[in-house]
């Protein structure tokens, strides 16, 4: 995969990783998304996406996940350091068009620290 790929190694997959992030990670939020993050133990930035059933039906949840992955894939190079990130969609994220999803995520990602501490 090239610079803009999104392989399996770039994802948070295990439940224990999501739980650890929720317990020990820091939180940034806006009206549409909550972002939990912590320094990664592996030498890469990894992404997890959580969209609960109360956000909408399956098609809507999948659309939000697809747009979130696309935003991360295209903007990962702007994140300095190596982080584990879980993006949690709120109900307000349902129905947003692509541009608004990307701008809401950019707003949250801009609040993340630039250097790993």
């Amino acid at each position: 995969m090239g610079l803009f790929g999104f392989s399996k190694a770039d994802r948070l997959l295990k439940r224990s990783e999501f739980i650890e992030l929720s317990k020990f990670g820091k939180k940034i939020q806006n009206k549409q998304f909550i972002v939990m993050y912590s320094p990664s133990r592996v030498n890469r930035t990894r992404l997890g996406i959580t969209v609960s059933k109360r956000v909408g039906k399956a098609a809507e949840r999948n659309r939000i996940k697809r747009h979130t992955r696309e935003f991360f894939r295209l903007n990962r190079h702007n994140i300095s350091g190596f982080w584990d990130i879980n993006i949690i969609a709120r109900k307000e994220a349902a129905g947003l068009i692509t541009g608004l999803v990307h701008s809401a995520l950019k707003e949250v990602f801009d609040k993340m620290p630039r250097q790993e501490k």
Side-chain angles (χ1 to χ4, degrees), residues 49 51-66:
I49 303 170
V51 185
S52 72
K53 285 186 177 182
R54 71 180 128 147
V55 171
K57 299 210 181 263
E60 183 66 25
R61 296 193 310 267
N62 290 334
R63 192 182 66 75
I64 292 169
K65 290 187 276 188
R66 192 169 55 248

Side-chain angles (χ1 to χ4, degrees), residues 6-117:
F6 188 67
S7 67
K8 194 169 185 174
D10 295 327
R11 294 185 276 167
L12 292 174
L13 298 172
K14 297 182 179 171
R15 184 173 189 270
S16 60
E17 295 170 335
F18 284 92
I19 291 171
E20 183 178 329
L21 245 178
S22 66
K23 283 185 181 177
F24 303 112
K26 296 186 187 216
K27 178 171 37 170
I28 299 173
Q29 57 189 341
N30 64 8
K31 191 174 179 184
Q32 296 86 7
F33 295 98
I34 300 170
V35 175
M36 303 289 292
Y37 66 94
S38 69
S40 180
R41 290 179 288 174
V42 297
N43 288 337
R44 66 185 331 137
T45 297
R46 300 184 302 166
L47 176 71
I49 303 170
T50 305
V51 185
S52 72
K53 285 186 177 182
R54 71 180 128 147
V55 171
K57 299 210 181 263
E60 183 66 25
R61 296 193 310 267
N62 290 334
R63 192 182 66 75
I64 292 169
K65 290 187 276 188
R66 192 169 55 248
H67 290 310
T68 303
R69 279 192 303 271
E70 181 71 3
F71 175 82
F72 177 76
R73 190 180 69 77
L74 295 174
N75 294 285
R76 174 184 17 207
H77 63 280
N78 295 329
I79 300 170
S80 64
F82 299 116
W83 300 94
D84 285 343
I85 302 168
N86 183 24
I87 299 175
I88 304 166
R90 290 182 158 173
K91 192 169 187 157
E92 289 81 6
L96 291 180
I97 60 173
T98 306
L100 293 177
V101 170
H102 286 224
S103 65
L105 287 169
K106 183 177 181 346
E107 175 188 324
V108 178
F109 270 76
D110 286 346
K111 294 178 187 176
M112 278 185 65
R114 294 288 153 225
Q115 296 290 334
E116 185 175 324
K117 294 180 181 177

